[in-house]
Amino acid sequence: MPDLADALRTIPDFPKPGIQFKDLTPVLADPALFGQLLDALAAPWADAGVTHVVGIESRGYWFGAALAERLGAGFLPARKPGKLPAASVRATYALEYGEDALELHGQDLPDGARALVHDDVIATGGTAAAACELVEKAGGTVVGISFAVEIAFLDGRSKLPAGVPVEVAIVV
Ligand SMILES: O=P(O)(O)OC[C@H]1O[C@H](OP(=O)(O)OP(=O)(O)O)[C@H](O)[C@@H]1O
Ligand SMILES: Nc1ncnc2[nH]cnc12
């Protein structure tokens, strides 16, 4: 079976000097690897009662919407500022290489929603922490956080809400 970790491509000095960029596009491009990664992402949450997956713009959409479908859950996009058309909740955060904000259509997260936050990569953890804040602001509960790749030395987990389960398919 092709190996997921081997398919991950590392691009040095992208998008800035000193960043080792973890590129998942080879996984997306290969149907067997794509399915293998979705299996790995979905398995830990099969019995978690997830009602909605919140995927983070933009690479969190690559696997997030498909993951939602596999879990029988809805999908909500957390978008960069000014992209969502309806009333939104907002959270700001710092990146490994910059600063940004995320917004969410809070009205689409019903009372009692059990949200799984998903992104492709956790680096410093600020992006995913902001997405968790969005879910809480919208009145939902974060029941888990899911990543395709964790860059372990950056210790992004320390920024995530305490006590919320985190599952990762590939740790580098
Ligand atoms: O853990 P952090 O240090 O917060 O970084 C992780 C985030 O950085 C990347 O997104 P980016 O902002 O580059 O946007 P993109 O998905 O549109 O490429 C990645 O897709 C995560 O969302
Ligand atoms: N090193 C990295 N590779 C891919 N995505 C990232 N997002 C933040 N840091 C990253």
Side-chain angles (χ1 to χ4, degrees):
M1 194 187 284
D3 188 75
L4 272 176
D6 289 346
L8 187 64
R9 186 158 54 194
T10 299
I11 313 289
D13 300 319
F14 182 88
K16 289 185 176 175
I19 301 292
Q20 299 288 319
F21 190 87
K22 302 301 176 186
D23 176 21
L24 280 158
T25 59
V27 175
L28 271 179
D30 181 316
L33 288 170
F34 194 2
Q36 204 180 314
L37 179 53
L38 284 171
D39 289 345
L41 290 172
W45 309 106
D47 300 318
V50 173
T51 61
H52 294 79
V53 173
V54 172
I56 302 173
E57 183 169 352
S58 60
R59 284 179 272 144
Y61 304 161
W62 289 354
F63 309 110
L67 174 60
E69 198 279 337
R70 284 197 178 200
L71 293 175
F75 179 79
L76 269 75
R79 296 217 62 182
K80 302 283 169 76
K83 301 273 191 177
L84 287 172
S88 303
V89 290
R90 180 185 175 110
T92 55
Y93 61 97
L95 269 179
E96 188 185 8
Y97 41 78
E99 195 177 279
D100 219 330
L102 286 174
E103 295 179 344
L104 187 76
H105 277 159
Q107 65 207 306
D108 293 337
L109 207 59
D111 286 348
R114 293 171 55 81
L116 176 65
V117 168
H118 168 79
D119 206 352
D120 68 326
V121 171
I122 176 168
T124 63
T127 310
C132 292
E133 194 183 324
L134 287 177
V135 170
E136 299 292 334
K137 278 186 175 172
T141 300
V142 180
V143 295
I145 311 173
S146 149
F147 302 100
V149 175
E150 177 180 18
I151 303 174
F153 84 93
L154 291 171
D155 191 29
R157 281 182 190 237
S158 63
K159 284 218 188 76
L160 301 178
V164 178
V166 178
E167 295 286 348
V168 176
I170 306 165
V171 179
V172 295

